[in-house]
Amino acid sequence: MPDSLTTITKRSDFLAANSGMRVARPGFVLLAKPNGERGKRLGITVTKKIGNAVVRNRMKRRFRAIARELLPDNGLDDHDHILIGRDGGVERDFDALRCELAAALERMEAGRPDPPRRRRTKPRSRRA
């Protein structure tokens, strides 16, 4: 298996990773899920809530740079890694983002992800 990163492009892979481990940090949320011996793979998601296209692309470039630096050595073997941008992540210091990603990867390596999120329930509609 090659130790380089490959890019996740299929929506189904992004959705599958949502049921894996999760570590939230101020600038991003990191998801990781075993991928059946396909190597280390990276996917990046930044929604329109974050900003316009210029802001979203800048955030994705920053995430790619940090991931290329840290994931080959610190990422989980044969896992899909998904970085989800959070509001304010584009203004965060680059070194702070790097440290946060390193800490998130250490937590996942140690098997200490954040606790599962509670399911959101829709409010009941009132019928007259």
Side-chain angles (χ1 to χ4, degrees):
M1 282 280 128
D3 200 29
S4 63
L5 285 176
T6 55
T7 303
I8 298 172
T9 56
K10 289 173 52 179
R11 184 173 190 271
S12 60
D13 291 336
F14 280 89
L15 294 175
N18 207 15
S19 64
M21 293 185 289
R22 168 184 306 270
V23 176
R25 291 289 174 250
F28 60 86
V29 175
L30 176 65
L31 306 175
K33 182 166 177 152
N35 62 17
E37 298 187 19
R38 291 191 207 144
K40 294 176 187 172
R41 300 193 313 165
L42 172 68
I44 297 173
T45 301
V46 181
T47 66
K48 288 185 178 182
K49 289 185 210 175
I50 303 302
N52 63 15
V54 174
V55 172
R56 294 193 312 268
N57 287 332
R58 180 170 183 235
M59 185 178 256
K60 287 189 271 188
R61 282 194 307 271
R62 296 178 90 204
F63 283 162
R64 274 193 297 271
I66 293 170
R68 282 189 199 116
E69 181 181 329
L70 294 177
L71 280 180
D73 296 328
N74 302 332
L76 302 173
D77 291 329
D78 296 323
H79 275 69
D80 288 343
H81 301 83
I82 308 291
L83 280 169
I84 303 171
R86 289 182 122 179
D87 197 19
V90 76
E91 292 95 15
R92 292 188 69 74
D93 182 55
F94 192 77
D95 289 329
L97 280 175
R98 182 185 297 120
C99 292
E100 289 170 2
L101 181 57
L105 288 168
E106 285 176 16
R107 279 189 67 133
M108 287 191 170
E109 184 73 38
R112 295 183 298 118
D114 291 346
R117 296 181 306 164
R118 288 183 295 145
R119 304 278 294 171
R120 280 195 268 177
T121 58
K122 293 182 180 179
R124 285 187 165 171
S125 63
R126 291 186 161 167
R127 295 193 129 178

